[in-house]
Amino acid sequence: MNAPADEASAIIAELERRLAEAEETLAAIRLGEVDALVVRGADADEIFTIEGEAGYRDFMEAMDPGAVALDSLGHVLYATQRVATLLGVPLDQLQGRHFSETLSTENSARFEALLAAAAEGKPVAGARFAGRSDSHFDISIGAMRIGTVSGYAVTFTDVTERVRAEAAEQNERIARAVIASANEAVLVCDRSGIVTHANAAAAGVHDGELVGHRFADVVTLVFPGATGLMQSEDFIALALSGTPVQGIEAVAPQAPKVKDYLVSIAPLRVIGDQISGCVITMVDLSQRKAAEQQQLLLMAELDHRVKNTLALVQSISSRTLSAEDTLEGYQVAFSGRLQALAATHNLLAVRSWSNLQIGDLLAAELAPYLDQGADRIFAQGLTFSVVPRAAVALGLILHELTTNAVKYGALSNDRGTVSVVAAPRESEDAPFVIDWRESGGPPVGAPTRRGFGRTVISHSLRYSATGSAELNFEPGGIHCRIVVPREDVVV
């Protein structure tokens, strides 16, 4: 039976609360603390201005977010200066204008979609738009009534600085990732030359802590190409003044691993044109230095070989001239020996001056005669390689043997044969022996005159105590036993 009494008490309490709120509101109005009243409705809020349009406008202008009041068709009833600034449109050109027309084509379509959603009662809050001049703002839309007019209240929140801060933070993360991923040592210094960032590769520059220390104190650099007056501090100062330094060769004598670097220092501009530090990139030059050293060695070796070759050619020319009776004979003999020398050099060049096999030398000398008598030449076991000096000597020996065989020996008729065979070795210490043996040619007798060809054969391998070539004029054909110096054979 107490229920009706409790319900009546609740109603009375609610009426008393509303009366208190009404008295409080009236008191605020009398004190000039209220410019407008917003009455919440089921479908839209209703706004009533208290002291006319001027007071309400002052109130709206004082709000940090911009605001726009639109009628039901999207025309501007009212807009604050902040909105005009965000949109880059003069305030007096906004009044009465369809709001979508003040936006870019893309933004206009988005705004129309959001306005349609608000008309259906769907919440629209915090939709982000990109404005002109790299500005950004969030838009919220709500239905409302101003007096007898129905429309929409649109608020604009300038988030340009927030977006820029987020972009800067994202760029910072990307920059850190790039630096961390670089194969080269990358260090970032502030304006005082203090290292603030260093990637993993920088550990090759200094084996201690880098961050927090002055670069010049923890990384000692010597610039061979510059005078002693130029130090790393000077290059850093140049970069901090806006002048980048690129591609300076430097030596880091105290670096734990790599000593030679190519150093570049660039100004660091994080925001705008203000230089906040510098970025130091140190590229490992050890491979390049090694290549340069190898190149110098090769040039020295080439110079040595050219001189030796010229001396050899000079000797061959002089000895050939003294051994020949006619100018024509000299020309033929000297040209042949010069061609033999050139053929050996060609083979060495193709094989990068290494691993030239005896069989290749023999093939080069016999090549002009293979078409007419390949089945008369037998080679076996000539697959071992020799160093360049032995190759040159063997090339000359094989040339003299071939020339003699073609002119007087087994290759001077159509029946003779030439056998070039590497003798079996009984042990690893046994010499490398090659037997040149001719048969089926004209009868052989010992020559009465010793020509330069025999000298070439017997002397070419005497640069070594273990090298020799012995020529025997056997009745059945010439036999030459060639012993290749053991130290010149590549096993």
Side-chain angles (χ1 to χ4, degrees):
M1 298 298 291
N2 293 329
D6 293 341
E7 184 176 354
S9 298
I11 294 173
I12 293 171
E14 177 63 18
L15 291 174
E16 288 176 345
R17 186 184 64 78
R18 292 186 178 182
L19 179 59
E21 287 182 353
E23 290 176 345
E24 185 179 352
T25 301
L26 290 173
I29 293 173
R30 282 195 296 272
L31 293 173
E33 298 175 347
V34 175
D35 292 312
L37 293 178
V38 179
V39 178
R40 301 290 182 189
D43 299 325
D45 298 338
E46 192 165 4
I47 301 177
F48 297 93
T49 58
I50 304 302
E51 293 186 354
E53 184 178 355
Y56 184 61
R57 178 178 293 277
D58 292 342
F59 168 74
M60 295 297 294
E61 292 290 353
M63 293 177 61
D64 183 63
V68 171
L70 305 178
D71 64 15
S72 59
L73 298 178
H75 294 96
V76 177
L77 299 174
Y78 169 81
T80 63
Q81 180 59 48
R82 177 171 290 274
V83 172
T85 302
L86 282 173
L87 299 178
V89 179
L91 181 61
D92 57 357
Q93 295 183 15
L94 284 175
Q95 188 69 34
R97 190 174 178 183
H98 199 283
F99 186 74
S100 297
E101 298 175 354
T102 65
L103 303 174
S104 65
T105 303
E106 180 181 358
N107 284 346
S108 176
R110 283 191 62 204
F111 183 81
E112 286 293 337
L114 294 175
L115 200 63
E120 297 174 357
K122 298 179 181 177
V124 177
R128 182 151 301 176
F129 281 71
R132 296 181 174 87
S133 302
D134 193 30
S135 63
H136 302 268
F137 48 84
D138 288 350
I139 288 180
S140 297
I141 306 175
M144 70 170 189
R145 286 180 58 85
I146 302 179
T148 59
V149 179
S150 298
Y152 304 95
V154 185
T155 58
F156 291 73
T157 302
D158 187 355
V159 295
T160 302
E161 293 303 324
R162 186 194 310 171
V163 171
R164 288 176 180 174
E166 292 173 351
E169 184 178 356
Q170 177 69 10
N171 290 338
E172 176 69 11
R173 286 198 294 269
I174 294 174
R176 287 175 180 270
V178 170
I179 291 174
S181 303
N183 293 325
E184 295 79 16
V186 180
L187 302 96
V188 181
C189 295
D190 61 15
R191 293 195 59 83
S192 299
I194 305 296
V195 178
T196 58
H197 299 78
N199 65 355
V205 177
H206 178 67
D207 58 359
E209 184 63 37
L210 286 166
V211 175
H213 298 275
R214 290 184 71 249
F215 176 83
D217 293 340
V218 291
V219 181
T220 302
L221 292 180
V222 178
F223 299 94
T227 68
L229 297 176
M230 295 300 293
Q231 305 295 326
S232 58
E233 297 100 313
D234 303 305
F235 293 122
I236 291 176
L238 277 174
L240 292 176
S241 66
T243 302
V245 179
Q246 296 181 341
I248 303 296
E249 289 194 19
V251 177
Q254 299 177 5
K257 299 178 181 176
V258 180
K259 307 292 185 183
D260 299 300
Y261 289 98
L262 191 68
V263 179
S264 297
I265 308 176
L268 176 63
R269 291 183 172 88
V270 177
I271 301 176
D273 293 331
Q274 185 178 1
I275 298 175
S276 58
C278 64
V279 178
I280 303 173
T281 305
M282 302 178 65
V283 179
D284 181 359
L285 284 184
S286 55
Q287 292 187 353
R288 173 176 153 183
K289 288 295 181 183
E292 290 177 352
Q293 186 64 28
Q294 180 67 18
Q295 186 178 24
L296 289 176
L297 292 174
L298 290 175
M299 290 179 66
E301 179 66 17
L302 178 62
D303 179 66
H304 170 71
R305 289 178 178 175
V306 167
K307 289 179 179 177
N308 285 351
T309 302
L310 290 176
L312 178 60
V313 170
Q314 189 177 25
S315 175
I316 291 174
S317 174
S318 175
R319 300 294 295 273
T320 303
L321 180 61
S322 63
E324 297 294 333
D325 297 330
T326 63
L327 181 59
E328 290 75 12
Y330 161 77
Q331 184 177 15
V332 171
F334 179 69
S335 296
R337 287 161 183 157
L338 203 60
Q339 289 172 0
L341 196 61
T344 303
H345 276 260
N346 285 337
L347 290 173
L348 287 170
V350 170
R351 301 295 175 85
S352 301
W353 289 80
S354 62
N355 297 332
L356 182 57
Q357 295 187 348
I358 305 296
D360 295 331
L361 288 169
L362 179 65
E365 290 301 326
L366 293 175
Y369 316 105
L370 291 178
D371 292 340
Q372 56 192 20
D375 56 339
R376 298 163 59 195
I377 299 172
F378 176 71
Q380 186 178 47
L382 306 179
T383 56
F384 59 89
S385 302
V386 294
V387 299
R389 69 171 182 174
V392 173
L394 288 169
L396 290 173
I397 292 173
L398 294 173
H399 167 74
E400 295 300 331
L401 292 171
T402 301
T403 301
N404 185 75
V406 171
K407 294 174 66 176
Y408 311 110
L411 298 182
S412 64
N413 60 24
D414 56 0
R415 300 183 304 277
T417 60
V418 176
S419 167
V420 186
V421 178
R425 298 175 66 222
E426 298 177 354
S427 67
E428 291 185 356
D429 296 331
F432 287 85
V433 178
I434 303 171
D435 276 318
W436 172 290
R437 190 179 296 277
E438 299 180 22
S439 62
V444 174
T448 57
R449 178 184 176 190
R450 184 180 181 89
F452 180 54
R454 290 180 63 184
T455 302
V456 171
I457 294 172
S458 59
H459 286 66
S460 290
L461 287 174
R462 288 190 181 178
Y463 61 82
S464 169
T466 61
S468 64
E470 182 181 353
L471 188 62
N472 297 304
F473 296 92
E474 299 177 356
I478 282 180
H479 170 224
C480 184
R481 185 174 186 269
I482 304 171
V483 181
V484 183
R486 177 68 182 82
E487 65 271 21
D488 286 353
V489 176
V490 180
V491 179

